[in-house]
Amino acid sequence: MNSNNNKNNDSSSEDDLQVYETLTKLAPPNELLPRKLTIDIDVKSLYPQKALPQFCKSYTTFIEESSQRQCMIPDIQVVDENRTLLDYYEENKQNLVYKRFDQLDLGKRTSNDRTYFASLLANFKRTLPRVFFRGDALFDQKLTPCSSDQIQFDSNFESGNLFCAFKKADNIYDLIIQNDINTRGNTQWFFFSVTGAKAGQTIQFNILNHLKTGSLFNEGLQPAVYSIKENQLVGTEWCRDGFNISYFKSVFMKEYPLSLKKKYYQLRFHYTFKHDGDKVYFAHSYPYTYTNLLEFLNSQLEDQERNQYLSRKVLCTTLGGNTCEVLTITSNSLQKRAFRKGVVFLARQHPGEPQGSYVMQGIIEFLTSNNPQADYLRQNCIFKIFPMMNSDGVVNGNYRCGLEGSDLNRRWKKPNKYLHPSVYYAKKYVKGFSKERQILLVVDLHGHSRKQSSFVYGCAYSSQVKTIERVFALLMSKVNPFMDYSSCTFRVENAKDKTARIQLWRELKINWVYTYECSFYGQQKKHYQIKDYLNCGVSICNALSQIVKDTTKEFTNQANQPDIQQQMLEELGKMPQTDDQDNGSDSSQSEAELSDDELVQLFQPKTYSMKQKNLLKQQETNNKKKPQQPNSNLKSTLASQKTSILQESPSKNSEQKPPMSSQKPKNPLYRIQAPQRVRQIDQVKQPEPPLMVDKSVQTDDWMYRQWLIQMGKLKKQQEFQSFTPTRNIYKSSSQSVTRFIVKNSTTKNDRGRVDSISLMASGLQNKLTSSSQQRQMMRYSGSNFMS
């Protein structure tokens, strides 16, 4: 026995030795691949785009040339009050130097030529959207060939939107900017480049089709300018430049609606080029593209110190195929995690307001830094950040809308899952976040083109100045030198009822829900720089840290600290009463949106609103009510009736509303209104056609009854106009096939229920006089059909 055990032990040791030798001979294991944190930069647009230079590598200051800024409003001689942009093109097409899509004929006349001159329509009924201009599909875009000594324009890059350019005279060019995709307007943002100018050459630019009636350009605002050679030589980034700037009513009339005869507005400015062969970019404000966002997020995720506080997730895919990101910033520590407050930031619902992206970048950079205030906020808050809600609009150069042609900040009440995916999923995400923990603050970041400084729109039903909704706004104005509290407004306007601010405030019961507006211009007639927008985001975080300290005193040893909220309320009580009227509102223009009958041609039926569905039903009803030509061939009529009967279900319990048109209903049982007792004028009875029986279907009892029902329905109008049932009289089934039960015979009009469809009308009874014919009809009717 011992020998056997020794043998087994020896064999086991030999096996272990072999396994060990085998393992040692194996190649070393591959190192674990690190988890990919960065984002693939894949920007999808409706048409090909060129790459932009690396803007904003460093934020340098610049000197404002206030001496050159002169507002000279010229005297305009109105030639024709009814001129449109299409009329202008017909008059000046020989002077065309640039059009964005080379293969298109801008002067092509169609039935809707006054609506789509500068609009692109993207059809999303297919998997890949197709873009159309005045009925022609776009497949490629090219620059119009120009001679080398001419000025060359370009906007075929991300966020660019120059549609066409004309050389009006030497060194004078008229420009037309493109409407938002799938809209008839929303033209305020502009972004284009110019090459071919000589050093010292001064050019006048006239942008002919601006939307808004007022602008900060008349108060000293200058266009944003970026020179490639100036950046290479001196390192200058985006700056403000230009002179002789004016903004005034244009001579051209809007194409929508033409009957109102509303006019466009025109921007005129001059610029002197500093270098030969330079490429200079012009924009309404410092651009911030979708590519800029992805590159910034990658820089944060690649930083080992910052990415431990930052995580990203794809919220959804937009209509154009781009991604909408959602970021989470908080401390990795599990201590007090359940007691942390929730904070939500949103930006770029309006793609033509890049100030929101710079403020958002300042917030993200501060919250992921080693600043003590940032560390305190991470320990006590969980931040949910939506950095770019409308990435499609940013990529394609829109000012106000997304690719569906609507303002996303007017879709928060009931967003469509397919048309407004970023709004739909962001609202769902925030509502779920509110169930997890208390949300302390929600800020939606925007830009304002008609007011100076930065300010907020808040929500409050009361007009009293001493309310809790105003506390955080006043605190932000204390710590932010760029914010003006006197410009803040706290109202719940009907025109803005569907915005993110009002809907989240109303549904989630959060006191501090704000729309944070940063001016396109600046403060006290001094331009904001990019650094100033970044500092606005830092100031929001600093004000938030004071509020968080004030709300968490019961969990710390800071009970002796002064109450910040109480101090703000006392200061608010000393302020005079205000009417909270916003004279410089940036509300959207609903008239620029396409009509419902145009939108249903561009999107799938699952995206239709109730108004659009009712419109389609009305159109179908109108088409059915059109007079039809009588069919002389009776056999074809009977054959079609027979086919419709064979396609129906033999169910007897189905109920359906009475048909509203002359179309034959499918079900034999339906309700009809009993005729009212009105005095009728004697009418000359027209001879009725004889009842034609299709003998080919008499072999089937049910099919024959169905055919008789169909013939009875054709006569229902004549039957009930000429026949009035007697009150409280029952006709037995043995006397007639038709039986009426009269209800409520005291006060109301007679309303009867037809338990069985009339097979022998009054006109037919005279013809079927033979008793044998009556018995034959009763045999095919049957007692079950009568009940």
Side-chain angles (χ1 to χ4, degrees), residues 443-444 446-458 473 476-477 480 482-489 496 514-520 528 536 582 584-586:
V443 180
D444 186 14
H446 287 263
H448 208 285
S449 65
R450 302 182 66 177
K451 294 175 69 174
Q452 296 192 42
S453 188
S454 63
F455 53 92
V456 300
Y457 291 121
M476 281 194 294
S477 65
N480 187 357
F482 304 105
M483 182 173 174
D484 182 18
Y485 179 78
S486 61
S487 300
C488 299
T489 303
K496 299 182 180 181
Y514 301 107
T515 299
Y516 189 88
E517 301 273 359
C518 278
S519 174
F520 275 74
Y528 280 153
C536 287
D582 183 24
S585 176
D586 253 11

Side-chain angles (χ1 to χ4, degrees), residues 208-391:
L208 305 180
N209 59 330
H210 275 296
L211 172 71
K212 295 184 178 179
T213 58
S215 175
L216 292 171
F217 284 110
N218 282 338
E219 300 180 20
L221 174 65
Q222 296 173 289
V225 180
Y226 183 92
S227 170
I228 297 292
K229 286 198 172 182
E230 192 74 11
N231 178 263
Q232 294 173 354
L233 296 174
V234 188
T236 305
E237 293 286 342
W238 282 98
C239 64
R240 298 286 183 174
D241 205 346
F243 57 96
N244 288 345
I245 302 171
S246 57
Y247 187 89
F248 51 90
K249 183 178 289 188
S250 175
V251 298
F252 302 106
M253 186 171 52
K254 296 180 181 178
E255 299 94 343
Y256 62 93
L258 199 63
S259 59
L260 297 181
K261 296 184 178 181
K262 292 186 177 181
K263 296 295 184 66
Y264 284 111
Y265 283 78
Q266 178 175 337
L267 171 64
R268 174 175 297 176
F269 67 94
H270 296 72
Y271 179 76
T272 302
F273 290 82
K274 301 176 183 179
H275 306 279
D276 290 330
D278 192 9
K279 187 171 186 178
V280 181
Y281 291 86
F282 298 91
H284 193 186
S285 185
Y286 316 118
Y288 195 102
T289 63
Y290 181 53
T291 302
N292 295 145
L293 172 67
L294 298 182
E295 291 175 349
F296 167 71
L297 293 181
N298 283 340
S299 66
Q300 297 290 306
L301 295 171
E302 291 172 354
D303 193 327
Q304 298 297 327
E305 295 183 357
R306 293 178 181 269
N307 62 15
Q308 57 182 329
Y309 313 121
L310 174 65
S311 62
R312 58 166 288 269
K313 179 182 178 182
V314 176
L315 178 69
C316 64
T317 302
T318 60
L319 200 62
N322 297 301
T323 60
C324 181
E325 304 285 337
V326 56
L327 309 178
T328 302
I329 299 178
T330 190
S331 175
N332 291 332
S333 174
L334 298 179
Q335 187 178 6
K336 297 182 181 180
R337 191 178 184 89
F339 299 96
R340 295 177 188 175
K341 308 291 184 181
V343 180
V344 178
F345 291 110
L346 305 97
R348 295 302 286 277
Q349 293 201 72
H350 296 153
E353 299 172 0
Q355 298 89 343
S357 289
Y358 287 110
V359 177
M360 181 66 80
Q361 180 172 327
I363 291 173
I364 296 174
E365 286 180 341
F366 178 81
L367 292 177
T368 57
S369 66
N370 294 327
N371 188 287
Q373 296 286 351
D375 184 66
Y376 179 82
L377 287 175
R378 292 193 299 266
Q379 293 289 341
N380 293 274
C381 297
I382 296 180
F383 295 88
K384 297 295 182 179
I385 297 176
F386 303 86
M388 189 170 286
M389 293 287 293
N390 195 347
S391 56

Side-chain angles (χ1 to χ4, degrees), residues 581-768:
Q581 294 293 331
D582 183 24
N583 298 325
S585 176
D586 253 11
S587 59
S588 62
Q589 300 288 332
S590 59
E591 63 182 12
E593 296 183 2
L594 297 178
S595 59
D596 290 322
D597 58 341
E598 294 168 328
L599 289 175
V600 297
Q601 306 298 328
L602 302 176
F603 301 98
Q604 298 179 3
K606 61 184 178 182
T607 65
Y608 294 167
S609 62
M610 290 301 300
K611 183 179 178 181
Q612 295 170 353
K613 292 178 181 178
N614 294 335
L615 177 65
L616 290 178
K617 291 181 180 178
Q618 185 65 28
Q619 292 178 353
E620 293 177 359
T621 304
N622 295 337
N623 295 334
K624 293 175 183 177
K625 287 183 178 180
K626 291 182 179 179
Q628 300 179 357
Q629 297 180 356
N631 190 1
S632 58
N633 191 355
L634 187 59
K635 292 184 179 180
S636 61
T637 304
L638 296 175
S640 62
Q641 294 177 359
K642 177 181 177 181
T643 305
S644 63
I645 291 174
L646 293 174
Q647 292 177 354
E648 294 174 6
S649 173
S651 176
K652 300 180 182 180
N653 298 325
S654 60
E655 294 183 1
Q656 187 176 359
K657 295 182 179 180
M660 301 302 295
S661 64
S662 61
Q663 184 183 11
K664 298 179 179 61
K666 292 183 179 180
N667 296 329
L669 300 179
Y670 60 93
R671 288 180 176 272
I672 59 174
Q673 293 185 356
Q676 300 180 357
R677 286 181 173 273
V678 295
R679 186 174 180 179
Q680 299 181 354
I681 302 175
D682 296 339
Q683 300 178 355
V684 180
K685 295 185 179 180
Q686 299 179 356
E688 298 177 353
L691 180 63
M692 303 298 296
V693 179
D694 188 2
K695 297 182 180 181
S696 62
V697 299
Q698 289 187 6
T699 55
D700 192 333
D701 181 65
W702 175 84
M703 292 175 58
Y704 179 64
R705 291 199 306 269
Q706 295 294 322
W707 180 83
L708 290 176
I709 290 169
Q710 296 289 343
M711 298 302 297
K713 290 176 182 178
L714 293 176
K715 302 294 183 180
K716 65 181 184 297
Q717 295 181 355
Q718 293 85 352
E719 292 176 9
F720 292 104
Q721 286 181 359
S722 60
F723 176 76
T724 302
T726 307
R727 295 174 183 244
N728 300 326
I729 293 180
Y730 294 81
K731 291 186 178 182
S732 64
S733 60
S734 62
Q735 296 177 357
S736 174
V737 179
T738 306
R739 180 177 65 180
F740 289 90
I741 300 177
V742 181
K743 298 182 179 179
N744 195 6
S745 60
T746 57
T747 58
K748 298 183 179 180
N749 296 332
D750 295 335
R751 299 181 63 185
R753 175 181 173 221
V754 181
D755 286 349
S756 61
I757 304 301
S758 177
L759 300 181
M760 292 189 298
S762 59
L764 299 178
Q765 289 180 357
N766 297 330
K767 296 183 179 182
L768 299 176

